[in-house]
Amino acid sequence: MKNNKEAFRDYLQLEKKYSPHTVLAYWNDISSFELFNSVHFDQSTIEKANYSQIRSWIVSLVDAEVSATSVNRKIASLKAFYKFLLKTQQIEVSPLTKHKALKTPKKIQIPFSEKEVNAVLDGMQNPIGFEAIRDKLIIDLFYTTGMRRTELLHLKIANINLANKTIKVLGKRNKERILPLLPVITSLLERYLLERAAIINDMNVDCLFLSKKGVKLNDSFVYRLINSYFSTVSEKVKTSPHILRHTFATHLLNNGADLNSVKELLGHSSLASTQVYTHNSLSELKKVYQEAHPRNSK
């Protein structure tokens, strides 16, 4: 018979459809508290733990210089576990009902400027050969669709609809969304697929982006690719695929796109997640406002 922790893991995998990486993170966080509770309170299970015990764990994490962000993530895992126990009627009250998350400093992700993006793409004009076309397509897709790195890596050939100029993306929690493709992207996709077909003869290899040897690309390859191109045109500390996603959203908002449309394109479940991208748009709005409002000249 499965214990509650194993049942919770199955719940995350089968019902919530979380990725293996996310499920492992939840498992490790809960196991960490389980071990702490056993050592410091001589309690074999955490189902009956109280907030005082959890608070002691939080203090120990802070004393160990674990960041507030990481502590909040661990507590979020624990809160989800107790919510599951409530749902399955294993407990009557969650010990984390009144818990307030630790305050964390807001990190502002600085997007690339249009000048920086154009410098990279202009430097990749008219790519020749499988790898050059693939690399330009990856950068162009990030910038013109705002998709996540994992979403790009899991793209299948079947996800592409060149006739409709769309691409299907599998996002977080297996949520699908259809993204429009610009003509410049569909043209590049057609070139890439021809090059890919000439190199990859195995019809069973359905993953869109591959190495020259026919192997699926990994996270580190894509990160290195973006960093290698953008570090030459930008002095920003972070030059990653996520910054390109951030750039996509910021540039759309700067050029008049409404927040809800950007939310749908990014695959966010709520506007609160999208609003993090508005700080640069606000600065652009202020600039336009100051230049256009007649009172500013007085």
Side-chain angles (χ1 to χ4, degrees), residues 68-240:
T69 301
S70 294
V71 172
N72 286 339
R73 192 209 69 220
K74 291 177 185 294
I75 297 304
S77 298
L78 205 57
K79 186 178 284 189
F81 177 64
Y82 285 120
K83 188 176 180 180
F84 170 75
L85 294 181
L86 280 170
K87 184 177 182 179
T88 55
Q89 299 182 336
Q90 303 296 310
I91 60 173
E92 293 182 1
V93 181
S94 168
L96 283 163
T97 301
K98 296 183 179 180
H99 173 75
K100 292 183 179 179
L102 301 183
K103 289 185 178 180
T104 56
K106 289 185 179 180
K107 291 184 178 179
I108 296 177
Q109 301 281 3
I110 302 174
F112 298 116
S113 66
E114 291 187 36
K115 182 179 179 181
E116 288 170 333
V117 175
N118 289 333
V120 169
L121 294 176
D122 288 347
M124 302 176 81
Q125 286 284 11
N126 302 316
I128 298 174
F130 172 77
E131 291 179 306
I133 294 172
R134 178 202 62 198
D135 293 354
K136 186 174 191 302
L137 179 58
I138 287 174
I139 292 174
D140 247 333
L141 270 177
F142 275 135
Y143 180 54
T144 60
T145 69
M147 68 176 67
R148 300 176 178 92
R149 176 168 48 177
T150 53
E151 292 171 346
L152 180 133
L153 288 170
H154 287 94
L155 286 174
K156 303 285 192 294
I157 290 180
N159 295 146
I160 302 165
N161 189 326
L162 290 174
N164 289 339
K165 293 184 172 59
T166 59
I167 192 164
K168 185 191 296 181
V169 171
L170 188 63
K172 288 184 176 180
R173 303 181 188 179
N174 288 338
K175 290 182 180 178
E176 289 185 348
R177 68 186 188 280
I178 306 295
L179 299 175
L181 295 174
L182 297 175
V184 66
I185 303 300
T186 55
S187 175
L188 196 57
L189 260 169
E190 288 172 344
R191 289 183 62 194
Y192 171 71
L193 290 173
L194 286 173
E195 292 284 346
R196 184 187 181 283
I199 292 173
I200 312 301
N201 297 317
D202 188 351
M203 296 297 290
N204 293 320
V205 181
D206 60 350
C207 190
L208 178 61
F209 288 113
L210 304 168
S211 71
K212 203 168 185 178
K213 294 181 180 179
V215 178
K216 181 182 175 183
L217 301 182
N218 56 36
D219 281 355
S220 59
F221 174 89
V222 177
Y223 181 88
R224 289 196 306 271
L225 173 69
I226 302 303
N227 187 60
S228 66
Y229 279 99
F230 280 88
S231 61
T232 63
V233 301
S234 176
E235 295 182 355
K236 293 177 176 62
V237 175
K238 288 193 71 175
T239 53
S240 66

Side-chain angles (χ1 to χ4, degrees), residues 46-62:
I46 59 173
E47 282 81 351
K48 294 182 180 180
N50 56 45
Y51 185 65
S52 178
Q53 290 166 272
I54 297 172
R55 183 68 184 172
S56 295
W57 183 45
I58 294 172
V59 170
S60 74
L61 292 171
V62 172

Side-chain angles (χ1 to χ4, degrees), residues 251-269:
H251 289 184
L252 279 181
L253 291 166
N254 282 350
N255 285 281
D258 68 276
L259 195 61
N260 199 58
S261 296
V262 175
K263 164 188 168 291
E264 295 300 318
L265 289 168
L266 291 171
H268 285 160
S269 57

